[in-house]
Amino acid sequence: MKIGVPKEIKPQENRIGLTPESVKTLVSEGHEVIVENDAGFEAGFDNEQYTNVGAKIANTASDIFNDAEIIVKVKEPQKVEVDMIRENQIVYTYLHLAAAKELTEGLIKSKSINIAYETVTDDNGRLPLLAPMSAVAGRMSVQAGAHCLEKNQKGRGLLLGGAPGVDGGTVVILGGGVVGENAAIIATGMQAKVHIVDKSEARLKQLVEMFGDKIIPEQSDKIDLNKLVSEADLLVGGVLIPGAEAPKLVTREMIKLMKRGSVIVDVAIDQGGCVETSKPTTHGDPTYIVDDVVHYCVANMPGGVPRTSTLALNNATLPFLVKLANKGYKKALSEDKNFLAGLNVHKGDITYKAVAEVFGHNYVAPEEAIKK
Ligand SMILES: NC(=O)c1ccc[n+]([C@@H]2O[C@H](COP(=O)([O-])OP(=O)(O)OC[C@H]3O[C@@H](n4cnc5c(N)ncnc54)[C@H](O)[C@@H]3O)[C@@H](O)[C@H]2O)c1
């Protein structure tokens, strides 16, 4: 099959759909890969690395959309891209359609086949193509938080890892899922004192098995959150209730209890945030202060480390793409219910229930849609 990789055009998006290593795999399977000129440049992959493994370089995005049977991207198609998508073309990328009416309508009109990374499942009902970005954001949360604790960033002037004879800082992680676990990997590695709060006893048990006595597990319905928040030098927000807005675990009143110059990194900001005073910020201007507490609430944290994020994303997306290209979408999707769960819009039909419901649109089950 012909697989096309356009340059991402959403502002501040520097990831790319395929790494040279992924292209190499696809070419070795007999596929043709076309990459837009300099599409990987900001992620540290230049044209030569792609041509060395057999890719062709196209000058413009329209060359790619005109030629490829499968388009591989990172971010949801932007308006100019939607206008270039052709009938029967397969689009494999993050879509987040429930929050994007115009995009959904555009994809319906295009009669293309759209597979969303974020709704592909695994056998445990988790979202394996979303998890790598939570892992990146979780690890980055402690790095960003540690930086914000520096005096120049209006922080407490505290080194999270301490110094010989000087204790490190206290990190309180709200939510012990993928973000929380990865935040804990970095925070414990930095020698900080780490509390992880989760509502699930079973999940806390797993975390204790992983980290031993390097973390202090805290079950959310049994703790004094006011006290814990007041002790935090760095508070990381990583709770998630799937499909819903994040619960506001930390109220405005609790912020007043925090130490001057302490830091909140609210990773859950893309679901509204789990701190009442959080509002979305950007990599260009990532922080603001409320009641002497530094808030870092960047909604697309993985975009700040496009090289690592592209590599992590490809580890998860490539195995599905290889199946898609080798077998064709009908066979690949009908043989794998987890991959089928990724089908959101198929030749004019909405095939993902939650998206159809949000827009009051007719829903066609994906297994029925692909029989057409
Ligand atoms: N800002 C970014 O760039 C970025 C990047 C990736 C992920 N995220 C967001 O980070 C958040 C966390 O993602 P994740 O992949 O770790 O989710 P996850 O489902 O793996 O983990 C969420 C955890 O929160 C816990 N939880 C839910 N409600 C709770 C409550 N009331 N009290 C205590 N614990 C509670 C759950 O038990 C679960 O362990 C999501 O909102 C996700 O969208 C943001």
Side-chain angles (χ1 to χ4, degrees):
M1 279 218 202
K2 268 191 194 172
I3 301 163
V5 189
K7 185 171 165 55
E8 293 296 317
I9 54 173
K10 189 168 180 176
Q12 293 193 323
E13 182 51 66
N14 293 311
R15 288 171 288 180
I16 175 170
L18 292 177
T19 61
E21 203 52 38
S22 298
V23 171
K24 190 175 170 189
T25 302
L26 290 161
V27 170
S28 74
E29 295 278 335
H31 303 292
E32 199 179 309
V33 183
I34 319 156
V35 178
E36 189 177 342
N37 185 36
D38 282 342
F41 184 75
E42 299 295 350
F45 305 116
D46 55 34
N47 287 347
E48 212 186 353
Q49 285 173 274
Y50 286 100
T51 53
N52 282 346
V53 291
K56 289 192 185 133
I57 301 294
N59 280 330
T60 65
S62 70
D63 291 339
I64 301 216
F65 281 90
N66 279 334
D67 206 13
E69 295 161 278
I70 305 177
I71 299 288
V72 182
K73 278 179 47 63
V74 179
K75 279 293 187 188
E76 69 280 3
Q78 306 297 292
K79 171 93 180 67
V80 286
E81 292 175 316
V82 174
D83 292 344
M84 290 189 279
I85 295 174
R86 290 177 299 114
E87 189 168 344
N88 293 332
Q89 198 162 43
I90 300 168
V91 180
Y92 182 50
T93 190
Y94 285 121
L95 286 172
H96 298 290
L97 292 183
K101 190 162 195 264
E102 206 179 313
L103 171 61
T104 307
E105 284 167 355
L107 295 179
I108 290 172
K109 207 168 136 214
S110 71
K111 297 233 157 52
S112 56
I113 297 143
N114 298 272
I115 302 170
Y117 294 160
E118 73 275 5
T119 65
V120 173
T121 51
D122 67 14
D123 288 338
N124 301 314
R126 294 202 201 96
L127 306 171
L129 306 195
L130 207 53
M133 294 305 98
S134 286
V136 167
R139 290 181 186 213
M140 197 171 168
S141 68
V142 177
Q143 177 172 320
H147 178 61
C148 291
L149 279 166
E150 291 174 23
K151 202 77 231 170
N152 271 344
Q153 309 303 317
K154 304 199 168 59
R156 229 165 118 60
L158 175 143
L159 187 61
L160 204 51
V166 182
D167 284 344
T170 296
V171 179
V172 174
I173 301 171
L174 302 177
V178 182
V179 164
E181 176 185 326
N182 281 278
I185 288 172
I186 303 302
T188 54
M190 280 179 152
Q191 321 287 342
K193 183 178 178 193
V194 179
H195 300 258
I196 308 184
V197 180
D198 204 287
K199 65 177 180 185
S200 158
E201 196 181 348
R203 178 59 183 158
L204 287 172
K205 251 188 191 159
Q206 274 179 346
L207 291 166
V208 169
E209 274 163 26
M210 272 179 227
F211 292 99
D213 61 4
K214 288 192 180 148
I215 61 153
I216 304 158
E218 311 273 8
Q219 200 168 332
S220 49
D221 57 356
K222 292 187 184 151
I223 52 164
D224 180 353
L225 195 57
N226 280 319
K227 181 166 177 289
L228 205 53
V229 166
S230 71
E231 286 169 6
D233 295 301
L234 169 60
L235 185 99
V236 174
V239 298
L240 173 68
I241 299 173
E245 226 182 88
K248 300 278 184 244
L249 298 186
V250 178
T251 63
R252 167 113 217 181
E253 289 308 307
M254 287 158 97
I255 301 288
K256 294 196 176 109
L257 305 174
M258 291 183 77
K259 293 176 272 198
R260 186 168 66 88
S262 54
V263 173
I264 293 173
V265 176
D266 199 348
V267 185
I269 190 65
D270 61 338
Q271 302 291 339
C274 55
V275 176
E276 201 177 337
T277 44
S278 294
K279 56 174 197 233
T281 59
T282 61
H283 287 292
D285 191 9
T287 59
Y288 61 94
I289 313 274
V290 177
D291 290 340
D292 292 330
V293 174
V294 183
H295 289 54
Y296 174 106
C297 304
V298 175
N300 67 331
M301 293 173 70
V305 287
R307 186 174 176 85
T308 303
S309 298
T310 296
L311 290 162
L313 183 62
N314 270 239
N315 285 343
T317 57
L318 183 66
F320 290 101
L321 177 59
V322 169
K323 278 198 249 178
L324 188 63
N326 285 357
K327 299 180 174 186
Y329 82 92
K330 287 195 180 193
K331 193 162 192 296
L333 294 179
S334 61
E335 282 179 4
D336 181 348
K337 66 174 186 349
N338 288 323
F339 196 16
L340 184 66
L343 190 66
N344 276 226
V345 179
H346 175 272
K347 297 187 186 175
D349 289 326
I350 298 188
T351 53
Y352 196 76
K353 208 171 205 170
V355 175
E357 279 171 6
V358 162
F359 299 125
H361 197 281
N362 189 36
Y363 164 71
V364 179
E367 55 274 22
E368 295 306 319
I370 58 173
K371 284 185 196 152
K372 286 186 190 168

